[in-house]
Amino acid sequence: MAEKVRGYMLVIGGAEDKNGESEVLIKAAELAGGKDARLVIITTATEHPRTTGEEYRKSFEKLGIRDIKLLNIRTRKEANQEKHVKVIEDSTAIFFTGGDQLRITSILGGTLVYEAIQKAYSNGTPIIGTSAGASVMSSNMIIEGNDNDPARKCTLKMAPGMGLLEEAIIDQHFHQRGRIGRLLCGVAENPNVLGIGIDEDTAILVYPDAHFEVVGSNTVSVIDGRTITMSNVSELQPDEILALSNVTLHVLPQGYGFDMKKRKVIGFGKKVAEKLDGEKGEELN
């Protein structure tokens, strides 16, 4: 896992606080470089790019960032324009808004902008994404599944993501929309990957050494399928209730984190470290 995480990511579960304590967006602003940041906001996922983009512009301006550019890329032709590539190359952080994650991959995938994002990330530019912009960061992303429903076989639809975070599946709005069933299905289908469910107004700050810290007001759920001893996921009868035995579940609020390489919970005390120094907390299991 460590060699498959190349830089910093802030993966947000959606509906982050923009008017109160704004812990998640404050962390995003710090990660971007604070007052010296050159932040690019990509609104490809949303059907309302102007409204969404301006909302985030105002939020980050309140946090002290002045150099903010909006990339409202709507077509693959636009995603191959050099002027957009230049904006990506000059940025200190890239932010993906919410919307439909399949719009991000289908419009940007294989284009010059996509290549520029991958190169920027490999060179250390932080990538930040909320809601759909969070789901798209993994190699395989959930695009459809049942909310508030027991885990059922063959009800989960997935597609390739951007591949910034490998060996993981990200789900967002997690507890608020009752998505544990669909994430369990994803892990049951491929127990080697970690299922990471991120609540609203909550994020994981992923470090280059493949550990993350929880930031925000709610929790992050980590489902580890390597311990599974029995599953009926490969049997026939679609829509049958999923059976699983001995799956490992961690539920982590702020002050905790996770080493994705060792698959161990980490404790950071009462609050997540404010500085991005890459130091780990104490392993707890």
Side-chain angles (χ1 to χ4, degrees), residues 204-256:
I204 59 171
L205 173 58
V206 184
Y207 287 79
D209 67 352
H211 86 277
F212 69 72
E213 300 173 359
V214 178
V215 180
S217 63
N218 289 303
T219 64
V220 172
S221 300
V222 181
I223 300 175
D224 187 351
R226 288 187 181 178
T227 57
I228 291 173
T229 54
M230 182 279 295
S231 168
N232 69 345
V233 72
S234 63
E235 298 177 8
L236 298 177
Q237 299 179 334
D239 296 325
E240 183 181 34
I241 293 288
L242 178 69
L244 278 178
S245 177
N246 211 45
V247 65
T248 301
L249 171 65
H250 309 281
V251 181
L252 309 174
Q254 181 162 282
Y256 293 86

CSV table of all heavy atoms in Angstrom, one decimal, residues 204-256:
chain,number,residue,atom,x,y,z
A,204,ILE,N,-10.7,12.1,5.7
A,204,ILE,CA,-9.5,11.4,6.0
A,204,ILE,C,-8.3,12.2,5.4
A,204,ILE,O,-8.4,12.5,4.2
A,204,ILE,CB,-9.4,9.9,5.7
A,204,ILE,CG1,-9.6,9.7,4.2
A,204,ILE,CG2,-10.4,9.1,6.5
A,204,ILE,CD1,-9.4,8.3,3.7
A,205,LEU,N,-7.3,12.5,6.1
A,205,LEU,CA,-6.1,13.1,5.6
A,205,LEU,C,-5.1,12.0,5.4
A,205,LEU,O,-4.6,11.4,6.3
A,205,LEU,CB,-5.6,14.2,6.6
A,205,LEU,CG,-4.2,14.8,6.2
A,205,LEU,CD1,-4.2,15.5,4.8
A,205,LEU,CD2,-3.8,15.8,7.3
A,206,VAL,N,-4.8,11.7,4.1
A,206,VAL,CA,-4.0,10.6,3.7
A,206,VAL,C,-2.6,11.1,3.5
A,206,VAL,O,-2.3,12.0,2.7
A,206,VAL,CB,-4.5,9.9,2.5
A,206,VAL,CG1,-3.6,8.7,2.2
A,206,VAL,CG2,-6.0,9.5,2.6
A,207,TYR,N,-1.6,10.5,4.2
A,207,TYR,CA,-0.2,10.8,4.0
A,207,TYR,C,0.5,9.9,3.0
A,207,TYR,O,0.0,8.8,2.7
A,207,TYR,CB,0.5,10.7,5.4
A,207,TYR,CG,0.2,11.8,6.4
A,207,TYR,CD1,-1.0,11.7,7.1
A,207,TYR,CD2,1.0,12.8,6.6
A,207,TYR,CE1,-1.3,12.7,8.0
A,207,TYR,CE2,0.7,13.8,7.5
A,207,TYR,CZ,-0.4,13.8,8.2
A,207,TYR,OH,-0.8,14.7,9.1
A,208,PRO,N,1.6,10.4,2.5
A,208,PRO,CA,2.3,9.6,1.4
A,208,PRO,C,2.8,8.2,1.9
A,208,PRO,O,3.1,7.3,1.1
A,208,PRO,CB,3.5,10.4,1.1
A,208,PRO,CG,3.1,11.8,1.4
A,208,PRO,CD,2.2,11.7,2.6
A,209,ASP,N,2.9,8.0,3.2
A,209,ASP,CA,3.3,6.7,3.7
A,209,ASP,C,2.1,5.7,4.0
A,209,ASP,O,2.3,4.7,4.6
A,209,ASP,CB,4.2,6.8,5.0
A,209,ASP,CG,3.4,7.3,6.2
A,209,ASP,OD1,2.2,7.7,6.0
A,209,ASP,OD2,3.9,7.4,7.3
A,210,ALA,N,1.0,6.1,3.5
A,210,ALA,CA,-0.2,5.3,3.5
A,210,ALA,C,-0.9,5.1,4.9
A,210,ALA,O,-1.5,4.1,5.2
A,210,ALA,CB,0.0,3.9,2.9
A,211,HIS,N,-0.8,6.2,5.8
A,211,HIS,CA,-1.6,6.2,6.9
A,211,HIS,C,-2.5,7.4,6.8
A,211,HIS,O,-2.2,8.4,6.1
A,211,HIS,CB,-0.8,6.3,8.2
A,211,HIS,CG,-0.3,7.6,8.7
A,211,HIS,ND1,0.8,8.2,8.2
A,211,HIS,CD2,-0.9,8.5,9.6
A,211,HIS,CE1,1.0,9.4,8.7
A,211,HIS,NE2,0.0,9.6,9.6
A,212,PHE,N,-3.6,7.4,7.5
A,212,PHE,CA,-4.5,8.6,7.4
A,212,PHE,C,-5.0,8.9,8.8
A,212,PHE,O,-5.0,8.1,9.8
A,212,PHE,CB,-5.7,8.4,6.5
A,212,PHE,CG,-6.8,7.4,6.9
A,212,PHE,CD1,-7.6,7.6,8.0
A,212,PHE,CD2,-6.9,6.2,6.3
A,212,PHE,CE1,-8.6,6.7,8.4
A,212,PHE,CE2,-7.9,5.2,6.6
A,212,PHE,CZ,-8.7,5.5,7.7
A,213,GLU,N,-5.4,10.2,9.0
A,213,GLU,CA,-6.0,10.8,10.2
A,213,GLU,C,-7.4,11.2,9.9
A,213,GLU,O,-7.7,11.6,8.8
A,213,GLU,CB,-5.2,12.0,10.7
A,213,GLU,CG,-3.7,11.7,11.0
A,213,GLU,CD,-2.9,12.9,11.3
A,213,GLU,OE1,-3.5,14.0,11.2
A,213,GLU,OE2,-1.7,12.8,11.5
A,214,VAL,N,-8.3,11.1,10.9
A,214,VAL,CA,-9.6,11.5,10.8
A,214,VAL,C,-9.8,12.9,11.2
A,214,VAL,O,-9.2,13.4,12.2
A,214,VAL,CB,-10.6,10.6,11.7
A,214,VAL,CG1,-12.0,11.1,11.5
A,214,VAL,CG2,-10.4,9.1,11.3
A,215,VAL,N,-10.4,13.7,10.4
A,215,VAL,CA,-10.7,15.1,10.6
A,215,VAL,C,-12.2,15.4,10.5
A,215,VAL,O,-12.9,14.9,9.6
A,215,VAL,CB,-10.0,16.0,9.6
A,215,VAL,CG1,-10.2,17.5,9.8
A,215,VAL,CG2,-8.5,15.7,9.5
A,216,GLY,N,-12.7,16.2,11.5
A,216,GLY,CA,-14.1,16.5,11.4
A,216,GLY,C,-15.0,16.1,12.5
A,216,GLY,O,-14.5,15.5,13.5
A,217,SER,N,-16.3,16.3,12.4
A,217,SER,CA,-17.2,16.1,13.5
A,217,SER,C,-17.9,14.8,13.6
A,217,SER,O,-18.5,14.5,14.7
A,217,SER,CB,-18.4,17.2,13.3
A,217,SER,OG,-19.1,16.9,12.2
A,218,ASN,N,-17.7,13.9,12.7
A,218,ASN,CA,-18.4,12.6,12.7
A,218,ASN,C,-17.3,11.5,12.7
A,218,ASN,O,-16.2,11.6,13.2
A,218,ASN,CB,-19.4,12.4,11.7
A,218,ASN,CG,-20.6,13.3,12.0
A,218,ASN,OD1,-21.3,13.2,13.0
A,218,ASN,ND2,-21.0,14.2,11.0
A,219,THR,N,-17.6,10.4,12.0
A,219,THR,CA,-16.7,9.2,12.0
A,219,THR,C,-16.3,8.7,10.7
A,219,THR,O,-17.0,9.0,9.7
A,219,THR,CB,-17.3,8.0,12.8
A,219,THR,OG1,-18.5,7.6,12.2
A,219,THR,CG2,-17.7,8.5,14.2
A,220,VAL,N,-15.3,7.9,10.7
A,220,VAL,CA,-14.9,7.1,9.5
A,220,VAL,C,-14.9,5.6,9.8
A,220,VAL,O,-14.4,5.2,10.9
A,220,VAL,CB,-13.4,7.5,9.1
A,220,VAL,CG1,-12.9,6.6,7.9
A,220,VAL,CG2,-13.4,8.9,8.6
A,221,SER,N,-15.6,4.8,9.0
A,221,SER,CA,-15.7,3.4,9.2
A,221,SER,C,-14.7,2.7,8.3
A,221,SER,O,-14.7,3.0,7.1
A,221,SER,CB,-17.1,2.9,9.0
A,221,SER,OG,-18.0,3.5,9.9
A,222,VAL,N,-13.9,1.8,8.8
A,222,VAL,CA,-13.0,1.0,8.0
A,222,VAL,C,-13.3,-0.4,8.0
A,222,VAL,O,-13.4,-1.0,9.1
A,222,VAL,CB,-11.5,1.2,8.5
A,222,VAL,CG1,-10.5,0.4,7.6
A,222,VAL,CG2,-11.1,2.7,8.5
A,223,ILE,N,-13.6,-1.0,6.9
A,223,ILE,CA,-14.0,-2.4,6.8
A,223,ILE,C,-12.8,-3.2,6.2
A,223,ILE,O,-12.4,-2.9,5.1
A,223,ILE,CB,-15.2,-2.6,6.0
A,223,ILE,CG1,-16.4,-1.9,6.6
A,223,ILE,CG2,-15.6,-4.1,5.8
A,223,ILE,CD1,-17.7,-1.9,5.7
A,224,ASP,N,-12.3,-4.2,7.0
A,224,ASP,CA,-11.1,-5.0,6.5
A,224,ASP,C,-11.6,-6.4,6.2
A,224,ASP,O,-12.1,-7.1,7.1
A,224,ASP,CB,-10.1,-5.0,7.6
A,224,ASP,CG,-8.8,-5.7,7.2
A,224,ASP,OD1,-8.8,-6.3,6.1
A,224,ASP,OD2,-7.8,-5.6,7.9
A,225,GLY,N,-11.6,-6.8,5.0
A,225,GLY,CA,-12.1,-8.1,4.6
A,225,GLY,C,-11.1,-9.2,4.6
A,225,GLY,O,-11.5,-10.4,4.4
A,226,ARG,N,-9.8,-9.0,5.0
A,226,ARG,CA,-8.8,-10.0,5.0
A,226,ARG,C,-9.1,-11.1,6.1
A,226,ARG,O,-8.6,-12.2,6.0
A,226,ARG,CB,-7.4,-9.4,5.2
A,226,ARG,CG,-6.9,-8.7,4.0
A,226,ARG,CD,-5.5,-8.3,4.1
A,226,ARG,NE,-5.0,-7.6,3.0
A,226,ARG,CZ,-3.8,-7.1,2.8
A,226,ARG,NH1,-2.9,-7.2,3.9
A,226,ARG,NH2,-3.4,-6.4,1.8
A,227,THR,N,-9.9,-10.7,7.1
A,227,THR,CA,-10.2,-11.6,8.2
A,227,THR,C,-11.4,-12.5,7.9
A,227,THR,O,-11.8,-13.3,8.7
A,227,THR,CB,-10.4,-10.9,9.5
A,227,THR,OG1,-11.4,-9.9,9.3
A,227,THR,CG2,-9.1,-10.2,9.9
A,228,ILE,N,-12.1,-12.2,6.8
A,228,ILE,CA,-13.3,-12.9,6.5
A,228,ILE,C,-13.1,-14.5,6.4
A,228,ILE,O,-12.1,-14.9,5.7
A,228,ILE,CB,-14.0,-12.5,5.1
A,228,ILE,CG1,-14.5,-11.0,5.3
A,228,ILE,CG2,-15.1,-13.4,4.7
A,228,ILE,CD1,-15.0,-10.4,4.0
A,229,THR,N,-13.9,-15.2,7.0
A,229,THR,CA,-13.7,-16.7,7.0
A,229,THR,C,-14.8,-17.4,6.2
A,229,THR,O,-14.7,-18.5,5.8
A,229,THR,CB,-13.8,-17.3,8.4
A,229,THR,OG1,-15.0,-16.8,9.1
A,229,THR,CG2,-12.6,-16.8,9.2
A,230,MET,N,-15.9,-16.7,5.9
A,230,MET,CA,-17.0,-17.3,5.1
A,230,MET,C,-17.8,-16.2,4.5
A,230,MET,O,-18.1,-15.1,5.0
A,230,MET,CB,-17.9,-18.1,6.0
A,230,MET,CG,-19.1,-18.8,5.3
A,230,MET,SD,-20.5,-17.7,5.0
A,230,MET,CE,-21.1,-17.3,6.7
A,231,SER,N,-18.2,-16.4,3.2
A,231,SER,CA,-19.0,-15.5,2.5
A,231,SER,C,-19.8,-16.2,1.4
A,231,SER,O,-19.3,-17.2,0.8
A,231,SER,CB,-18.2,-14.4,1.8
A,231,SER,OG,-18.9,-13.6,0.9
A,232,ASN,N,-21.0,-15.8,1.2
A,232,ASN,CA,-21.8,-16.4,0.1
A,232,ASN,C,-21.9,-15.5,-1.1
A,232,ASN,O,-22.7,-15.7,-2.0
A,232,ASN,CB,-23.3,-16.7,0.6
A,232,ASN,CG,-24.1,-15.4,0.8
A,232,ASN,OD1,-23.5,-14.3,0.9
A,232,ASN,ND2,-25.4,-15.5,1.0
A,233,VAL,N,-21.0,-14.5,-1.2
A,233,VAL,CA,-21.1,-13.5,-2.3
A,233,VAL,C,-20.9,-14.1,-3.7
A,233,VAL,O,-21.4,-13.6,-4.6
A,233,VAL,CB,-20.1,-12.4,-2.0
A,233,VAL,CG1,-18.6,-12.8,-2.3
A,233,VAL,CG2,-20.4,-11.2,-2.9
A,234,SER,N,-20.2,-15.2,-3.8
A,234,SER,CA,-19.9,-15.8,-5.1
A,234,SER,C,-20.9,-16.8,-5.5
A,234,SER,O,-20.9,-17.3,-6.6
A,234,SER,CB,-18.5,-16.5,-5.1
A,234,SER,OG,-18.5,-17.5,-4.2
A,235,GLU,N,-21.9,-17.1,-4.7
A,235,GLU,CA,-22.9,-18.0,-5.0
A,235,GLU,C,-24.0,-17.4,-6.0
A,235,GLU,O,-24.0,-16.2,-6.2
A,235,GLU,CB,-23.6,-18.6,-3.8
A,235,GLU,CG,-22.6,-19.3,-2.9
A,235,GLU,CD,-23.2,-19.8,-1.6
A,235,GLU,OE1,-24.5,-19.7,-1.4
A,235,GLU,OE2,-22.5,-20.3,-0.7
A,236,LEU,N,-24.9,-18.2,-6.5
A,236,LEU,CA,-25.9,-17.8,-7.4
A,236,LEU,C,-27.0,-17.0,-6.6
A,236,LEU,O,-26.8,-16.7,-5.5
A,236,LEU,CB,-26.5,-18.9,-8.2
A,236,LEU,CG,-25.5,-19.7,-9.1
A,236,LEU,CD1,-26.2,-20.9,-9.8
A,236,LEU,CD2,-24.9,-18.7,-10.1
A,237,GLN,N,-28.1,-16.8,-7.3
A,237,GLN,CA,-29.3,-16.1,-6.7
A,237,GLN,C,-29.0,-14.6,-6.4
A,237,GLN,O,-28.7,-14.2,-5.2
A,237,GLN,CB,-29.7,-16.8,-5.4
A,237,GLN,CG,-30.2,-18.2,-5.6
A,237,GLN,CD,-30.6,-18.9,-4.3
A,237,GLN,OE1,-30.1,-18.6,-3.2
A,237,GLN,NE2,-31.4,-19.9,-4.4
A,238,PRO,N,-29.0,-13.8,-7.4
A,238,PRO,CA,-28.8,-12.3,-7.2
A,238,PRO,C,-29.9,-11.8,-6.3
A,238,PRO,O,-31.0,-12.3,-6.2
A,238,PRO,CB,-29.0,-11.8,-8.7
A,238,PRO,CG,-28.8,-12.9,-9.6
A,238,PRO,CD,-29.2,-14.2,-8.8
A,239,ASP,N,-29.5,-10.7,-5.6
A,239,ASP,CA,-30.4,-10.0,-4.7
A,239,ASP,C,-30.6,-10.8,-3.4
A,239,ASP,O,-31.3,-10.3,-2.5
A,239,ASP,CB,-31.8,-9.7,-5.2
A,239,ASP,CG,-31.7,-8.7,-6.4
A,239,ASP,OD1,-30.8,-7.8,-6.4
A,239,ASP,OD2,-32.5,-8.8,-7.3
A,240,GLU,N,-29.9,-11.9,-3.2
A,240,GLU,CA,-30.0,-12.7,-2.0
A,240,GLU,C,-29.2,-11.9,-0.9
A,240,GLU,O,-28.3,-11.2,-1.2
A,240,GLU,CB,-29.3,-14.0,-2.1
A,240,GLU,CG,-29.4,-14.9,-0.9
A,240,GLU,CD,-28.7,-16.2,-1.1
A,240,GLU,OE1,-27.7,-16.3,-1.9
A,240,GLU,OE2,-29.1,-17.2,-0.6
A,241,ILE,N,-29.7,-11.9,0.3
A,241,ILE,CA,-29.0,-11.3,1.4
A,241,ILE,C,-27.6,-11.8,1.6
A,241,ILE,O,-27.4,-13.0,1.5
A,241,ILE,CB,-29.8,-11.5,2.8
A,241,ILE,CG1,-31.1,-10.8,2.7
A,241,ILE,CG2,-29.0,-11.0,4.0
A,241,ILE,CD1,-31.1,-9.3,2.8
A,242,LEU,N,-26.7,-10.9,1.7
A,242,LEU,CA,-25.2,-11.3,1.9
A,242,LEU,C,-25.0,-11.9,3.2
A,242,LEU,O,-25.5,-11.5,4.3
A,242,LEU,CB,-24.4,-10.0,1.7
A,242,LEU,CG,-22.9,-10.2,1.8
A,242,LEU,CD1,-22.3,-11.0,0.7
A,242,LEU,CD2,-22.2,-8.8,2.0
A,243,ALA,N,-24.2,-13.0,3.2
A,243,ALA,CA,-23.7,-13.6,4.4
A,243,ALA,C,-22.2,-13.4,4.5
A,243,ALA,O,-21.5,-13.7,3.6
A,243,ALA,CB,-24.1,-15.1,4.4
A,244,LEU,N,-21.8,-13.0,5.7
A,244,LEU,CA,-20.3,-12.7,6.0
A,244,LEU,C,-20.0,-13.2,7.4
A,244,LEU,O,-20.8,-13.0,8.3
A,244,LEU,CB,-20.0,-11.3,5.8
A,244,LEU,CG,-19.7,-10.6,4.5
A,244,LEU,CD1,-19.4,-9.2,4.6
A,244,LEU,CD2,-18.5,-11.3,3.8
A,245,SER,N,-18.8,-13.7,7.5
A,245,SER,CA,-18.4,-14.1,8.9
A,245,SER,C,-17.0,-13.5,9.1
A,245,SER,O,-16.1,-13.6,8.3
A,245,SER,CB,-18.4,-15.6,9.0
A,245,SER,OG,-17.9,-16.0,10.3
A,246,ASN,N,-16.8,-13.0,10.3
A,246,ASN,CA,-15.5,-12.5,10.8
A,246,ASN,C,-14.9,-11.4,10.1
A,246,ASN,O,-13.7,-11.2,10.0
A,246,ASN,CB,-14.5,-13.7,10.8
A,246,ASN,CG,-13.5,-13.6,11.9
A,246,ASN,OD1,-13.8,-13.3,13.1
A,246,ASN,ND2,-12.2,-13.8,11.6
A,247,VAL,N,-15.8,-10.5,9.5
A,247,VAL,CA,-15.3,-9.3,8.9
A,247,VAL,C,-14.9,-8.3,10.0
A,247,VAL,O,-15.5,-8.3,11.1
A,247,VAL,CB,-16.3,-8.6,8.0
A,247,VAL,CG1,-17.6,-8.2,8.7
A,247,VAL,CG2,-15.7,-7.5,7.2
A,248,THR,N,-13.8,-7.5,9.8
A,248,THR,CA,-13.3,-6.6,10.8
A,248,THR,C,-13.8,-5.2,10.5
A,248,THR,O,-13.7,-4.7,9.4
A,248,THR,CB,-11.8,-6.6,10.9
A,248,THR,OG1,-11.3,-7.9,11.2
A,248,THR,CG2,-11.3,-5.6,11.9
A,249,LEU,N,-14.4,-4.5,11.5
A,249,LEU,CA,-14.9,-3.2,11.4
A,249,LEU,C,-14.3,-2.3,12.4
A,249,LEU,O,-14.4,-2.6,13.6
A,249,LEU,CB,-16.5,-3.2,11.5
A,249,LEU,CG,-17.2,-1.8,11.6
A,249,LEU,CD1,-17.0,-1.0,10.3
A,249,LEU,CD2,-18.6,-1.9,11.9
A,250,HIS,N,-13.8,-1.1,12.0
A,250,HIS,CA,-13.3,-0.1,12.9
A,250,HIS,C,-14.1,1.2,12.7
A,250,HIS,O,-14.4,1.5,11.5
A,250,HIS,CB,-11.8,0.2,12.6
A,250,HIS,CG,-10.9,-0.9,12.5
A,250,HIS,ND1,-10.4,-1.6,13.6
A,250,HIS,CD2,-10.4,-1.6,11.5
A,250,HIS,CE1,-9.6,-2.6,13.3
A,250,HIS,NE2,-9.6,-2.6,12.0
A,251,VAL,N,-14.5,1.8,13.7
A,251,VAL,CA,-15.3,3.1,13.6
A,251,VAL,C,-14.4,4.1,14.4
A,251,VAL,O,-14.2,4.0,15.6
A,251,VAL,CB,-16.7,3.0,14.3
A,251,VAL,CG1,-17.4,4.3,14.1
A,251,VAL,CG2,-17.5,1.9,13.6
A,252,LEU,N,-14.0,5.2,13.6
A,252,LEU,CA,-12.9,6.1,14.2
A,252,LEU,C,-13.4,7.5,14.1
A,252,LEU,O,-13.7,8.1,13.0
A,252,LEU,CB,-11.7,5.9,13.3
A,252,LEU,CG,-11.1,4.5,13.2
A,252,LEU,CD1,-9.9,4.5,12.2
A,252,LEU,CD2,-10.7,3.9,14.5
A,253,PRO,N,-13.4,8.2,15.2
A,253,PRO,CA,-13.7,9.7,15.2
A,253,PRO,C,-12.3,10.4,15.1
A,253,PRO,O,-11.3,9.8,15.0
A,253,PRO,CB,-14.3,9.9,16.6
A,253,PRO,CG,-13.6,8.9,17.5
A,253,PRO,CD,-13.4,7.7,16.6
A,254,GLN,N,-12.5,11.8,15.1
A,254,GLN,CA,-11.2,12.6,15.2
A,254,GLN,C,-10.4,12.2,16.4
A,254,GLN,O,-10.9,12.0,17.5
A,254,GLN,CB,-11.6,14.1,15.2
A,254,GLN,CG,-10.4,15.0,15.2
A,254,GLN,CD,-10.8,16.4,14.7
A,254,GLN,OE1,-11.0,16.7,13.6
A,254,GLN,NE2,-10.9,17.3,15.7
A,255,GLY,N,-9.1,12.2,16.2
A,255,GLY,CA,-8.2,11.8,17.2
A,255,GLY,C,-7.7,10.4,17.0
A,255,GLY,O,-6.8,9.9,17.7
A,256,TYR,N,-8.2,9.8,15.9
A,256,TYR,CA,-7.8,8.4,15.5
A,256,TYR,C,-7.4,8.4,14.1
A,256,TYR,O,-7.8,9.3,13.3
A,256,TYR,CB,-8.8,7.4,15.8
A,256,TYR,CG,-9.1,7.2,17.3
A,256,TYR,CD1,-10.0,8.0,18.0
A,256,TYR,CD2,-8.4,6.2,18.0
A,256,TYR,CE1,-10.2,7.8,19.3
A,256,TYR,CE2,-8.7,6.0,19.4
A,256,TYR,CZ,-9.5,6.9,20.0
A,256,TYR,OH,-9.8,6.7,21.3
